[in-house]
């Protein structure tokens, strides 16, 4: 084969490869969001430990817990302050990371918390995926099939106007939920859509995270929506995410998670 034809073939193969979608020509690692909810000043421990294991991204959000009123009245303000660590992880790392979490939770009452996973459906941009999956370093590794090992929980998320979290939790508890974690946020909506649907978007928002058993998820969501849905003063948007692994929800969860 002449040198000219060889170069021509190489260019053709290169162009041909470009037309094949990335996820069809490369092995793709499954990614998940790992949520850890702990007491104030406990989140940085996980950020540091995860950095040692090349986890690409972890952020700490500042939140508060919302236990029942009779319990809340006997707790100090500091004991209600929480931190939520959100990390993007590769599914093949989850067992090692949950060992770190379990060991940390077992140290003392102060270090206890809850942790759960939710799978990421898609990522926008090849470069973003390569970064989050540590693609270059792991390209030659053989991937195993990822199987969710705990699918009995769901994460219910309620995004409501400021001051509506009590209403959300009252509805959730009616259907068997035990507690929630609140994050303070600011929201912005599409003014054209808001006008079309008769919704006035208020910027001050609160986000309530509630982990529930799968069998009560629909009832919890309906109860919250009936009390605090988009057509109510709370202007709530309620959605759910599947949880593929959980630990720390109940005292006997160690044998399950």
């Amino acid at each position: 084969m002449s040198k000219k034809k060889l170069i021509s073939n190489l260019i053709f193969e290169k162009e041909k490869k470009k037309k094949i979608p990335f996820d069809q020509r490369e092995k793709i690692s499954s990614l998940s969001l790992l949520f850890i909810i702990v007491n104030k000043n406990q989140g940085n421990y996980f950020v540091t430990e995860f950095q040692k294991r090349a986890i690409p991204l972890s952020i700490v959000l500042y939140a508060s817990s919302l236990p029942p009123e009779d319990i809340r009245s006997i707790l100090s303000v500091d004991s209600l302050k929480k931190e939520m660590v959100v990390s993007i992880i590769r599914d093949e790392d989850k067992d090692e990371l949950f060992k770190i979490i379990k060991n940390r939770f077992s140290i003392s009452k102060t270090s206890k918390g809850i942790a759960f996973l939710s799978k990421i459906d898609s990522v926008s941009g090849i470069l973003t995926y390569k970064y989050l999956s540590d693609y270059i370093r792991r390209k030659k590794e053989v991937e195993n099939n990822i199987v969710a090992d705990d699918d009995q929980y769901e994460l219910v998320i309620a995004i409501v106007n400021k001051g509506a979290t009590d209403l959300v939790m009252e509805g959730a508890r009616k259907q068997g939920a035990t507690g929630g974690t609140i994050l303070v946020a600011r929201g912005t909506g599409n003014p054209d859509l808001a006008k079309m649907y008769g919704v006035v978007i208020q910027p001050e928002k609160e986000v309530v995270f509630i982990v529930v058993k799968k069998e009560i998820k629909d009832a919890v969501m309906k109860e919250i929506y009936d009390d605090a849905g988009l057509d109510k003063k709370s202007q709530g948007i309620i959605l759910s995410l599947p949880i593929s692994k959980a630990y720390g929800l109940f005292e006997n969860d160690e044998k399950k998670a």
Side-chain angles (χ1 to χ4, degrees):
M1 184 182 293
S2 67
K3 183 177 180 182
K4 185 175 181 181
K5 189 163 185 178
L6 176 60
I7 293 172
S8 176
N9 286 345
L10 288 173
I11 292 172
F12 174 76
E13 287 299 320
K14 187 176 180 181
E15 292 302 314
K16 183 179 175 183
K17 188 176 181 181
K18 282 182 180 178
K19 295 177 182 178
I20 302 173
F22 180 81
D23 59 349
Q24 292 180 21
R25 58 185 165 86
E26 301 289 345
K27 289 184 176 180
I28 300 298
S29 292
S30 295
L31 300 175
S32 288
L33 276 178
L34 171 58
F35 297 88
I36 308 172
I37 301 173
V38 289
N39 291 324
K40 182 183 175 183
N41 299 324
Q42 294 294 313
N44 282 336
Y45 172 83
F46 296 103
V47 174
T48 301
E49 289 300 309
F50 290 178
Q51 283 177 342
K52 294 176 185 177
R53 289 155 180 84
I55 299 305
L57 179 65
S58 294
I59 60 173
V60 179
L61 304 172
Y62 302 99
S64 60
S65 64
L66 192 65
E69 181 61 38
D70 57 335
I71 297 177
R72 201 185 325 174
S73 61
I74 62 174
L75 297 175
S76 66
V77 174
D78 277 347
S79 68
L80 297 176
K81 293 180 180 178
K82 301 290 180 182
E83 292 178 350
M84 176 184 288
V85 183
V86 182
S87 303
I88 297 178
I89 71 167
R90 299 166 293 268
D91 278 11
E92 56 260 39
D93 294 330
K94 66 181 180 181
D95 290 337
E96 180 184 2
L97 298 181
F98 265 83
K99 284 181 182 177
I100 294 171
I101 293 167
K102 289 180 181 181
N103 288 339
R104 182 65 177 180
F105 284 2
S106 66
I107 291 175
S108 67
K109 277 189 174 183
T110 303
S111 64
K112 285 186 180 298
I114 65 172
F116 50 89
L117 279 178
S118 183
K119 286 187 177 296
I120 295 174
D121 285 337
S122 58
V123 172
S124 180
I126 293 174
L127 181 60
T128 302
Y129 166 75
K130 286 183 174 182
Y131 169 70
L132 295 177
S133 65
D134 197 5
Y135 171 81
I136 295 174
R137 189 163 63 88
R138 294 172 178 262
K139 185 176 180 181
K140 296 181 180 180
E141 293 181 0
V142 178
E143 295 181 356
N144 298 319
N145 292 326
I146 304 301
V147 179
D149 51 10
D150 188 355
D151 62 353
Q152 61 179 314
Y153 297 105
E154 292 263 346
L155 173 63
V156 174
I157 302 174
I159 305 168
V160 294
N161 287 337
K162 185 177 180 181
T165 50
D166 282 335
L167 193 61
V168 170
M169 286 309 305
E170 285 171 11
R173 289 195 184 101
K174 287 178 186 176
Q175 298 300 330
T178 55
T181 300
I182 306 161
L183 291 88
V184 178
R186 287 186 62 83
T188 180
N190 184 310
D192 293 331
L193 283 178
K195 185 177 180 181
M196 183 183 299
Y197 289 97
V199 176
V200 179
I201 301 298
Q202 295 185 16
E204 298 297 326
K205 298 288 182 183
E206 291 176 327
V207 183
V208 186
F209 279 55
I210 310 169
V211 179
V212 299
K213 290 277 190 178
K214 182 175 284 187
E215 58 263 29
I216 67 169
K217 184 260 296 184
D218 289 340
V220 168
M221 292 183 71
K222 183 179 185 304
E223 192 75 41
I224 295 172
Y225 186 81
D226 288 346
D227 293 343
L230 195 59
D231 58 341
K232 304 294 193 300
K233 185 178 179 181
S234 307
Q235 294 183 319
I237 295 174
I238 299 92
L239 51 93
S240 69
L241 295 174
I243 290 175
S244 57
K245 188 176 179 69
Y247 180 76
L249 298 175
F250 304 100
E251 289 299 319
N252 62 350
D253 262 4
E254 185 167 359
K255 62 183 180 181
K256 296 179 182 178

